[in-house]
Amino acid sequence: AADTNARGHTPCDMISAAATQRAVSAVAPRVRRAVQHRAAPTHIPAPHRGLSRSSVVAKASEDDIMEQLMAMLGGGKKGAMVDEDKALPGRQQAMKVTNKHYVLGNPIQEPFPDNLETCVFATGCFWGTEKMFWRVPGVYSTSVGYCAGYTQNPTYEEVCSGQTGHTEAVQVAWDPTVISFADLLSMHWTCHDPTQGMRQGNDAGTQYRSGIYCSTKAQHELAKKSAEVYGAALKAAGRDRDITSEINGPGDDRLYYFAEDYHQQYLAKPGARPYCSAQPTGVPVPEDFLKENGAKLSTSYWKKYGPRPGCTIQVSNEPVPVEEALNA
């Protein structure tokens, strides 16, 4: 997991050399990840606005480094949503992905079996988010992508520029006879800090904002109710900040585009770097709310298998077996 000791903001007019170094150290892992993937020619966007492919990559790398640093220092444009008329145009061609989940073995693209439900969750860097959801028993499939923005079929580089309006997100498909939406909401709220606005831990920018993007009206109503309940739980635990998560329903801004193939189930693949900047609070979703809304997983399950403060990914890649989960 990434070093979480250097995650505070420092006003630009009070930056010391030490503070600057801490900010650079915090940003470096994420920037290295972006630059590394930009070097792969199969994932570089097509020439844009008269620039060559190599110059687009170099310019994107330089801009991302500067903008990430400014965001970590409390300034720059990455903390504000781009206006729709200023967003990048994108492209009609959809992202090509391998339609088989690397861990679960099921398709990651729709259509899914008719008995399944879907929802999109955003909790910061989508690598760790996806892993936490694919481990939940009853989850049929997960994928990572970009949600709630303006640019059509964006690339990772474009999303990282802050000029598409998307957030990194995970689409989850599950069997409601095995796991409930309330259980997945519990995972959402507890696997990150939903009060951090346009950032999550060391990752700063609009692409790291928290959100729930529901596919049905019933999901939307329960998600909004859960935010009220969990917000009160955070306050009762001494956390004063309000929840900043977007909660969109059918008809709202919830269009989801697949991310590049190398991002799909990234943390389970050979050679993956175990990066994690999520900031779980350690505050559980109240048990009464979960029971009232059909949760199938017990408090004991969350104590044994749920996210831990500081890092969410230092667990097995394998899903928790259903019988083991229900008997926890």
Side-chain angles (χ1 to χ4, degrees), residues 33-311:
R33 166 186 146 187
V35 172
Q36 174 187 359
H37 288 313
R38 287 193 186 96
T42 56
H43 304 302
I44 297 171
H48 185 59
R49 296 182 181 176
L51 298 178
S52 67
R53 292 171 67 89
S54 60
S55 62
V56 168
V57 174
K59 186 64 164 62
S61 300
E62 293 168 3
D63 289 349
D64 196 47
I65 292 170
M66 180 57 69
E67 290 176 14
Q68 286 277 11
L69 178 57
M70 289 303 296
M72 285 300 301
L73 298 179
K77 62 184 179 183
K78 282 207 157 189
M81 282 288 289
V82 65
D83 294 333
E84 184 173 2
D85 61 350
K86 296 180 181 178
L88 296 174
R91 59 204 49 79
Q92 292 185 348
Q93 183 178 4
M95 192 73 68
K96 293 182 179 180
V97 295
T98 301
N99 193 26
K100 182 179 180 181
H101 197 283
Y102 191 82
V103 177
L104 303 178
N106 297 319
I108 68 171
Q109 294 176 305
E110 298 184 72
F112 296 124
D114 292 341
N115 63 309
L116 302 185
E117 294 186 22
T118 64
C119 185
V120 175
F121 299 90
T123 68
C125 173
F126 50 21
W127 289 352
T129 308
E130 185 182 25
K131 178 171 179 175
M132 295 309 292
F133 276 105
W134 84 52
R135 297 189 72 246
V136 176
V139 168
Y140 174 84
S141 185
T142 61
S143 66
V144 296
Y146 312 116
C147 191
Y150 306 120
T151 300
Q152 185 179 16
N153 293 305
T155 66
Y156 177 69
E157 292 80 12
E158 290 171 341
V159 172
C160 282
S161 77
Q163 299 304 296
T164 73
H166 293 90
T167 187
E168 292 191 10
V170 174
Q171 179 172 263
V172 181
W174 73 93
D175 183 346
T177 66
V178 179
I179 201 72
S180 76
F181 185 53
D183 293 310
L184 298 178
L185 287 171
S186 183
M187 176 59 78
H188 170 81
W189 294 122
T190 59
C191 76
H192 74 307
D193 181 351
T195 72
Q196 293 192 9
M198 301 297 187
R199 67 177 302 114
Q200 186 63 208
N202 291 336
D203 291 334
T206 56
Q207 72 270 32
Y208 302 116
R209 67 188 187 274
S210 173
I212 305 172
Y213 306 95
C214 306
S215 61
T216 68
K217 183 178 179 180
Q219 287 180 9
H220 193 208
E221 292 303 315
L222 189 58
K224 290 189 293 184
K225 182 178 179 182
S226 73
E228 295 176 2
V229 170
Y230 194 62
L234 290 174
K235 295 290 178 64
R239 293 176 171 268
D240 296 331
R241 293 184 299 188
D242 294 330
I243 284 178
T244 57
S245 303
E246 292 180 327
I247 302 180
N248 292 354
D252 295 333
D253 182 12
R254 59 177 301 276
L255 194 59
Y256 174 83
Y257 295 102
F258 284 95
E260 291 79 351
D261 206 44
Y262 61 83
H263 283 305
Q264 305 299 332
Q265 300 87 59
Y266 172 82
L267 290 174
K269 294 176 178 177
R273 186 171 62 83
Y275 179 85
C276 173
S277 193
Q279 300 288 304
T281 64
V283 178
V285 174
E287 185 176 11
D288 289 347
F289 169 83
L290 294 175
K291 287 184 177 180
E292 290 170 5
N293 291 284
K296 301 178 185 297
L297 300 177
S298 67
T299 300
S300 297
Y301 171 89
W302 293 107
K303 288 181 178 179
K304 185 174 182 178
Y305 298 109
R308 299 287 186 270
C311 185

